[in-house]
Amino acid sequence: MSSTDISEIDVSFKLHLPTFSARSESTAKAEKIIKKYGSIVPNVPENIEHIIQKAKEYFSSSNAEKLTEKELRAVAFESLSRDEGDRFFFNLLKAVDEAKSRRVFSALFSSYIMNFNKHDERIAQAAKLLKKHQKTLSKSWVRRLENFDLLAFKTIETSLAKKIMEEGNDHSVFDRAGLTGAFSASRLVQSSLIELANQVAKRIKGGNTDALYDFLKIVCVGDKIKQHAGAAAMIASLKPFIDSSPPVHLKGLLQKVFIGSFSDPRITLNQWPEIPAHLGGTNLRTSCIGLIKKWLNFEAIELFFKVIAEHAPDEQFEPRRNLWKSYFDQEFVVDAHIILGQSAALTAKRLKRTDDAAHGLIWGNLSGANPDQSVLLMQIGDLTVAEWSHNGKFRAWDPDSPKKPRFYRNSYSASELRLGSNKIRNKNGSYGDGIVHLGDWVPRAKAYVNQATGIRLSRKIR
C-alpha cells in the first residue's frame, strides 16, 4: 500500500471537519495519519533494501531501470538515516533536483529534519538543494520557513533555542515551526533543546540557578521530563553540578524529577537517555548518573545514622559516622543501601515524610534480628562492607565471594548479612568474622579496607 502524503493538508484541516453522527472512514484515516506521522513524514516501504539496491544500480549504470517517483521519494527519505557513501548521496541529490517533484522534495526535507546534524556535510548539501527549491514545498511549509528558517543549518538550533528561552515554552515554538507529530522526536528538535541546555548550563555555572527552574518548566510535563528532552535535561541540570553542589532544595527537586522520569539508577539504567558523542557521550552520561547515585548514597548514609541516633545511641556513634562519611566525602563509596528492622523502618518512613533531604530514600527490610537494628551496606572500591548498628560487627566480603550480599533488594535476613564474611585479624592476632566496635576499632577498620582495596583516606579519623 502506498504511503499517504498529507503535506498539502492545511494546518487548520481538523478545525474544518464537518460533524458526523458516525465518523466517516476517510476522516478517521486522516486523523490517524496526522497522529502517527505528523505533517509530511512518509511511510518506509517494506522492500526499502530492494529499492536502495535498485537506486545504486541506476546511479552507476545508464542502462539500469529508472526509479519511479515513489521509489525516489523512499530513497530520499532514507538517505540521511544511512550511509551509502558520498557518491551515492551526490547522485541522489542530482536525481532529486532533476525530478522537480514536490513529493520527493518533501521526503528529503523530512529526512533533513529527522536526521539533522549541522556537522554532517550531507545535511549541508541537502539544505542547499532544498533552499534552492524552497517554493516547491507545500504552502504551509513555505509559510513556516519564512518565520523559522529551518534550512539555515548552521544557526537554526541557536535560533530555536533562543526563541524557546524568550517565550518559556518549547511547544508553541516547535508548533509554529512545524516540528510536531513525528517531527517532535526529530534530531532537529533534540539538538535545539540541547543547544538550549548548553545556554542554561552556562548561566548556572555563572551562579544563576534560577535559569534551571525556568528550563525545567520548559522540558517537564508535571514532574516528568519529556521523552525527547532527556539528554538536554541531563546536560543543563546535572552536568553543571558534577564538580560542585547545588542547594539542598534544588538537589531534592532534581532527584525527584530524574528518578521519576528515568527510574532509580541504583536499580536500572536502561531508561536513562544517551548523550550524543560530540557532547560527552557515554562518559558524560555515566558522570551525570553517578551524580544522582552519589546524592542517593549520601542520603542512605545520613538516614542510617539518623536511625541509629534514635534507636542505638552509644559512645561509638560519632566514630562510625565520621569514618563512613569520610569514605563518602572522598568519593570511595560506590553504592550504599540501608537495611532496617521493623521499628527502625517506621522511623525511616517518618523521616522520609518530614525530611526534604530524604525524598529518594529506599531501604530493604531486615528479618531475623532485633526490630531496632539496622545495617548500612556499602561498596567501597570492590569491597562489599556491612556496618551493623548496636553491638553488631563491621563485616566485609571480597568481590568474588559467593556469599557477598546483593544491593537494593527488598528484604534481607540477618544471617545473609553475617555469614560468609571475610576473616579479619583481631588485635590479639587471631582471626574473626568481623570487627567489634570496641576500643581502637577505627584504625583497624581503615587498615583492613586499605589492605583489601588499596584505598587510603587522606585525613585522620578519630
Side-chain angles (χ1 to χ4, degrees), residues 162-173:
K162 182 179 179 181
K163 200 67 176 175
I164 292 169
M165 184 62 79
E166 288 175 357
E167 298 185 11
N169 188 321
D170 66 329
H171 178 75
S172 63
V173 173

Side-chain angles (χ1 to χ4, degrees), residues 176-235:
R176 297 199 309 276
L179 302 176
T180 56
F183 289 149
S184 64
S186 67
R187 287 190 63 178
L188 178 55
V189 165
Q190 294 174 23
S191 59
S192 297
L193 289 174
I194 286 174
E195 175 60 28
L196 173 64
N198 284 328
Q199 294 177 15
V200 171
K202 289 178 182 178
R203 296 188 186 188
I204 295 171
K205 280 291 188 180
N208 180 9
T209 55
D210 288 341
L212 181 51
Y213 289 101
D214 295 335
F215 174 80
L216 291 175
K217 290 177 183 177
I218 292 170
V219 300
C220 291
V221 175
D223 293 331
K224 291 191 175 183
I225 297 166
K226 299 173 185 176
Q227 186 175 10
H228 58 273
M234 293 171 75
I235 290 170

Side-chain angles (χ1 to χ4, degrees), residues 32 46 118 123 172 218 240 353 387:
K32 185 177 180 180
E46 293 182 1
K118 68 180 179 182
I123 288 291
S172 63
I218 292 170
R353 289 194 307 268
E387 174 66 292

Side-chain angles (χ1 to χ4, degrees), residues 58 60 117 126 153 201 232 248 251 268 313 337 345 352 448 455:
Y58 174 64
S60 61
N117 178 357
F153 69 95
V248 173
K251 183 189 297 183
T268 178
H337 185 42
K352 188 169 182 175
Y448 178 77
I455 292 173

